[in-house]
Amino acid sequence: ELERKLRANDRDFNLSFRYATNAIKTSKYNLFSFLPLNLFEQFQRIANAYFLVLLVLQVIPQISSLSWFTTVVPLILVLSVTAAKDATDDIVRNSSRSSFRQSFRVYEPSSPCLSLDFQADLLLLSSSEPLNLVYVETAELDGETNLKVRQALPVTGELGEDMEKLADFNGEVRCEPPNNRLDRFTGTLVFGGQKYSLDNEKILLRGCTLRNTEWCFGLVLFQSSCWSSAPRRVQDPIFGFLAVMCVVLAIGNYIWETKEGSGFTAFLPRDDGISAGFSTFLTFWSYIIILNTVVPISLYVSVEIIRLGNSFYIDWDRKMYHAHSDTPAEARTTTLNEELGQIKYVFSDKTGTLTQNIMVFNKCSINGKSYGTVAPPTSHRNAVDFSFNPLADPRFVFHDRSLVEAVKLENPEVHTFFRLLALCHTVMAEEKTEGELFYQAQSPDEGALVTAARNFGFVFRSRTPDSICIVEMGKQLSYELLAILDFNNVRKRMSVIVRGPEGKLSLYCKGADTIIYEKLHPSCRKLMDITTEHLNEFAGEGLRTLALAYKDLGEEDFREWKQRHHEASTSLDDREGKLDQLYEEIETDLLLLGATAIEDKLQDGVPQTIEQLAKADIKVWVLTGDKQETAENIGYSCNLLREEMNEVFVVSGNSGDEVQQELRNALSSMKPEAAENSVFLSDATSGKGAKAEDEAVNGDYGLVINGHSLAYALESSMELDFLRTACLCKAVICCRVTPLQKAQVVELVKTYKRAVTLAIGDGANDVSMIKAAHIGVGISGQEGMQAVLSSDYSFAQFRFLQRLLLVHGRWSYLRMCKFLRYFFYKNFTFTFVHFWFGFFCGFSAQTVYDEWFITLYNLMYTALPVLGMGLFDQDVNSSWSFQYPQLYVPGQRNLYFSKKAFFKCALHSCYSSLVLFFIPYAALQDTVRDDGKDVADYQSFALLTQTCLMFMSYWTAVNTFFVLGSLAMYFAVTFTLYSNGMFYILPAAFPFIGTARNSLSQPNVWLTVLLTSILCVLPVVTYRFLLTQLCPTINEKVRQAKATPPPPSQRARIRRTSSRRSGYAFSHAQGYGDLVTSGRYLRRPPMPRPSGFVNMGRATTGFSPMGRSAGYSPTGRSQNTKAPDVEVTSLQMFRTIPDPAL
Amino acid sequence: MKEEGNLENRPSNTAFTQQRLPAWQPMLSAGVVIPGFLVIGLAFIGIGVGLLITSRSIQVLELDYTGTETNSPCNKCTTLPIQNNCVCKLNFTIDTLFKGPVFFYYSLTNYFQSQRKYGASLDYNQLSGDLTYFKSPASDCDPYRYANGKPIVPCGSLANSMFNDTFKLYQIVNGKENLVPFDGKGIAWWTDYNIKYRNPDYSPLENAFNDTEKPVFWSKPAYKLDTSDSSNNGFVNQDFLVWMRRAALPNFRKLYRRITEGDYKDGLPVGNYSLEISYNYPVKSFDGTKKATFSNVSWMGGQNEFLGIAYLAIGSMCVVMSVVMLIVYAKFRFPEDD
């Protein structure tokens, strides 16, 4: 598909192209189609089809070694259980989808202030705002929280909200097919005979949130049709094993037929035309039927039930319930629980996942005095009372009264400080009703600063293109806005020049401390030193800092400067450079006012969680759309990067060679010997099948890589270098990455590391990553639903991840492995007995057990104990899992169900079956009332008893009840089936009448049962005991230690290190100031905007190297001060991977 | 900050949903395992000794009468055609009193009653007396389903191959043969005799078998199996029932008669005996052997030394293991650390 064509309001035309339609199909079945469709689907599953084949085999009389009911009863049971589950799933899905759908009213006017998520890519037609502008937030797409502007074509804008006109709109759109590029769009609109070009400006991408706009109309371009993530399943390698056994027995049959059978024909004549060879063939199939119990159908059902149960535990867990947002955790998939116990890599989003995306004005330093204390969370006691200020924001909390006192005492520096905050910004204010102010800030940082000023009595109330209206300590004042010296990533500061109400001209400037310090008047030297101290202190607490300065301007100087400014801004060549120089000129000899400290609030418990995950040997990679400094800051404050790390490498090269060099350097400083051998794949071929080995390295390292460098690093020539370097590091942070890159990083690790990966995020920009990873986790309870919808698990807080992995994941994995081992053990043992019996029945596929016993063995006699274990077993309780995160490690290595474990299990069952067959064989041979069949039944009885005893380590009342219940059931059912009544009803089906009472009255039968049970259990007990004594595993040590009460849960605050690392990350992009001053609100632009993205006060979506923050290095090292190319390189267009999410 | 207004989605706080069910977690600690092994070991040794003594007290006398050796008195019968009523006599001596009640068995070896098709070759409905199956036996009975155009009753290989040697035991007192009385009642399972196998409700029984054929190998029809006792005929004939209860292993033993009457109530006294066998059943084709066995029983059934020996062996192994484990625990145990 090279091009997509669609015509508005012309359904037939559009449908002719078979694009995915708008309709969201909610349910799979209806009342009538359910049975056939569901059955068809079920029989597509290999297991069910296998049992159907078995059933067919059993109908053939020459082959049938078991009655049909032995397969039919379980099969029907399984099919009906699965069908019931599918039906409820469908009903649940249906109801959740329809409620979900109602929240999208893309075409309808939306009420103001209501944020609206777009669910399709739209072409903007018209909007409520002047000039057909709309404001959108793209945080879900690229992590940028600032508002962006989109503008409709004037010709479509005229449609307004006139429904008739809109309905008649017949424009035809030709555009590129759906792709992953967020920053570019090409297409044309043909309308009224005219052709208009369409670019990104006019497109509202799916996942954007509409802000500050009353309504807009759009034309749906692309609609995704796929939500669900592909299910993953485990395949069984046991069928081969089954075939081998059958072949051996069939060969045995051939030998028997030729040697013994021919002599025995007197009593058992051969059927016509059945030679020894043909009989061998038939025997093979007969044994396939008998030995199918190695992979009984109930396995699949039991696995489903256990998974379902463990999913419910996740849903029910109160410790993963977030009371604040009333959001419980939700397991949206039931098939992945055990993989939660094997996670090696966690890929996390930052904004909204690690952080709350709330900026809090926490501290400040004004004229050499530090204000503010970080109060313990949820404490209101020391909060400042802002009741003196009717315009104060009630949500703002500050914990130092002395600052309010200073404001009330009219301390001039303090006043200037807050005046600056109220004036120097690009925030928009809205006042719906008197006194109710809403700020629309480009970045939450700015919003926090302006809100702080508001509460301290300097209320920013409204702005026009050339004035700012503020309320200073109750007095309404208007400042004339003369110039905005906007932020860019080289300047790392912004200033405004205003004329005060008294006519005084002032320049107010805020910016990165290092930059501001260079611009200060020498008289500030002393203040600088004190402020620097405060800045260090703030930064040490993980706060984002910003220095503030001002100066008064002379009327004459300014007029002259303004003149030159005007010339520069209208000059045609090198306008930017000239303006920068002018700004530079006027921003000199500033007077330092102080500094602000803003906390990018982490979610509760994030550092502790990350520390726990690290202890559990889970590698956490943060993939964020944020700028490097922001990301690094968060990395430090959430304990991902630590001061005591040997080194934190920063990769931010702008060319392939540079990036490669940086990666190699990092590698060689971690592992000097590693640079030599560039091959680290296990096989020499670097094909997709290769597996990258885990390497160990001394010391802790961290890696920070920039988005544009990542684009190079992910090229096929370099991806292994990147992977190798990154995997040696304890922590990896990728910043300014696009959603696609997130997915690529996940894919890279998944492909080469063969490790189970988990991705966690909250927004639409995380969807691709969530889908790429084995397990996707969505943060729920917030605005966007996209991440949650494509996730496998969802909960409200990042900190719940540790409970999900360390407790639920570990238990699920443990239970599933134990269950599988137990299950295979019991069935192998059960089946092997048939194998041995083959030698004593002429390999004729005669069963040892009663057919009813075979039918019910897995369904009734042994189902509950295994299920009980799969649902209730815990080796250590949850508080110990937290105390010893190392307990998680065996899961990552898949120690509990590896090939070795499986082999051990098979060997053990082989031993048990030998015991179970030959002990009764020897014990009951030639005894009175000799009847081998009865014996065999009681062998199985013995089997049942001892398996239950062996594997259970956690006996809840339920388990005990299940085990005893199963035994009781065995006797009850056995005596019923063997009773007189049943025989009268159906003589052919119950030929075992009387065996139970005849055999169980024999003391030697009981003695044999006792002997076999003990003989099966004792070696295991001995082995385990010796193993525990000689080389205990971590689990055993923990269990030993359990005699002491569990330690109190530690929620101590993580001590922050004191080094200064925090630079204020201006998270808003260049150019918004233009919009404020240009008056484009009111005037149509004189000329078409140039393409590119330096226009129109719009921050680019996707990948923008602009808006880099003050280049403050977290560890004091210098980092690349070079301004990156403003041009987007072709590299950032990336390879296109079909991803329905985008 | 906490505004806990609406908590309707909060999961319930029960021990079950929060996975806090009280539980008992057994630990394989030295304090449990080592004494446990010792106790089990000693108990097993005790049981083993008891079993062995009991088993030793049981007397068994086995006589092979296959007749493959040329000097065997039954050798002559192996060469003759089966139909000829060949009778051979085995003489043997009992040195000590063979305590009663004495059970008399016949044994077959290398005989696969456990073969699936052999075992399935019967019609349970017919054997429970359902006359419709007298007319059309189940297809499982092939090739012993019809003979001479008439349905075979009882049909199938299993019934057809019923063991048909008969035995008579004489004690030789002063050159005179005294017949030792055999008791053939109650040798089959009660359930088989009373429930599983039923004759059709017909009197006389013979009429039910009109238009049916006797099994090919049988010399007389089912309703004439016991001429001396009319109630011991048809499908509830004790010998028939014993035969129809299939043995699980190729070498098996089936009860033929009990010696419980007359002078022999307390056992077989010391003396010379002669076992008269009417040799009908061919086993040569499949290299089988036939034996006649006299045995008495104890509380634990027939003679079987295996169980006693196994209990002794495992018991001693447990004791040894407990000592080994004690040594390991004391000397080599992994140092405790935290």
Side-chain angles (χ1 to χ4, degrees), chain B residues 121-137:
Chain B
S121 183
L122 51 82
D123 184 342
Y124 279 114
N125 289 310
Q126 196 185 57
L127 294 171
S128 61
D130 193 332
L131 281 173
T132 48
Y133 295 89
F134 275 50
K135 297 188 178 70
S136 57

Side-chain angles (χ1 to χ4, degrees), chain A residues 301-328:
Chain A
V301 189
S302 311
V303 166
E304 289 294 312
I305 292 174
I306 289 173
R307 283 174 168 167
L308 195 69
N310 283 311
S311 302
F312 274 123
Y313 284 135
I314 293 173
D315 294 349
W316 288 334
D317 195 339
R318 272 165 89 98
K319 287 180 179 148
M320 283 166 59
Y321 166 77
H322 191 227
H324 192 74
S325 60
D326 190 29
T327 316

Side-chain angles (χ1 to χ4, degrees), chain A residues 378-455:
Chain A
T378 73
S379 135
H380 281 265
R381 274 175 302 148
N382 303 319
V384 174
D385 179 18
F386 287 109
S387 56
F388 69 92
N389 181 358
L391 289 170
D393 185 343
R395 283 165 300 175
F396 182 83
V397 179
F398 196 76
H399 291 279
D400 193 347
R401 281 207 188 93
S402 59
L403 188 55
V404 184
E405 298 307 315
V407 172
K408 284 183 179 162
L409 291 172
E410 307 206 349
N411 180 325
E413 282 84 10
V414 173
H415 274 210
T416 318
F417 181 90
F418 284 116
R419 190 174 297 126
L420 186 151
L421 291 182
L423 290 172
C424 179
H425 56 77
T426 56
V427 172
M428 306 277 193
E430 256 186 292
E431 198 166 352
K432 294 285 169 196
T433 53
E434 180 70 24
E436 246 186 86
L437 277 171
F438 292 98
Y439 290 143
Q440 290 291 340
Q442 247 191 330
S443 72
D445 308 49
E446 279 220 308
L449 291 174
V450 179
T451 306
R454 168 181 167 181
N455 276 43

Side-chain angles (χ1 to χ4, degrees), chain A residues 64-65 256 260 263-264 266-269 286 313 315-318 321 323-324 326 328 380 808 811 815 837 840-842 844-846 872 874-875 919 921-928 931-934 953-956 980 983-984 987 991 993-995 997-998 1003-1004 1007 1010-1011 1014-1015 1018 1021-1022 1024-1026 1029-1030 1032 1037 1039 1042, chain B residues 1 3 6-13 16-19 21-30 33-34 37 44 47 51 105 110-112 114-118 124-125 128 143-144 157 161 189-191 195-196 217 245-246 248-250 253 281-282 285-286 297 299-300 302 304 306-307 310-311 314 318 321 325 328-329 332-334 337:
Chain A
S64 173
S65 45
W256 187 86
E260 307 278 342
F264 200 59
F267 296 126
L268 178 68
S286 301
Y313 284 135
D315 294 349
W316 288 334
D317 195 339
R318 272 165 89 98
Y321 166 77
H324 192 74
D326 190 29
H380 281 265
H808 289 287
W811 278 345
R815 286 168 185 169
F837 189 59
F840 298 92
C841 67
S844 60
Q846 171 64 47
F872 299 108
Q874 12 183 301
D875 55 345
I919 295 283
Y921 167 79
L924 302 182
Q925 193 178 30
D926 283 350
T927 50
V928 180
D931 188 291
K933 282 194 177 179
D934 317 330
S953 58
Y954 190 77
W955 288 77
T956 62
N980 314 346
F983 184 79
Y984 285 136
I993 173 171
T995 43
R997 62 186 98 152
N998 274 299
N1004 53 356
L1007 285 172
L1010 177 67
L1011 184 69
I1014 293 284
L1015 207 53
L1018 282 189
V1021 174
T1022 315
R1024 291 217 183 141
F1025 176 78
L1026 291 181
Q1029 296 305 322
L1030 295 173
K1037 282 189 206 166
R1039 285 184 62 184
K1042 268 176 108 175
Chain B
M1 284 289 279
E3 28 183 304
N6 193 5
L7 299 176
E8 59 185 21
N9 290 326
R10 179 150 71 171
S12 62
N13 187 15
F16 170 59
T17 55
Q18 303 307 313
Q19 305 199 58
L21 288 173
W24 171 63
Q25 282 183 278
M27 298 266 300
L28 293 181
S29 65
V33 174
I34 297 173
F37 266 64
F44 268 41
I47 296 172
L51 285 174
Y105 304 89
N110 209 24
Y111 194 105
F112 285 84
S114 55
Q115 226 277 355
R116 175 168 59 91
K117 284 183 199 140
Y118 176 85
Y124 279 114
N125 289 310
S128 61
Y144 299 112
S157 302
S161 59
W189 286 9
W190 185 91
T191 43
I195 292 148
K196 194 172 175 183
F217 287 4
R245 186 147 285 280
R246 292 159 60 205
L249 302 169
R253 197 192 254 185
Y281 207 72
S285 66
F286 54 93
V297 296
W299 59 270
M300 56 155 286
N304 188 317
F306 171 82
L307 213 50
Y311 266 95
I314 290 161
C318 284
M321 274 322 291
M325 283 192 269
V328 168
Y329 177 72
F332 302 103
R333 135 174 79 122
F334 200 81
D337 54 3

Side-chain angles (χ1 to χ4, degrees), chain B residues 286-298:
Chain B
F286 54 93
D287 297 328
T289 57
K290 301 198 280 191
K291 280 176 219 160
T293 309
F294 296 92
S295 171
N296 48 19
V297 296
S298 67

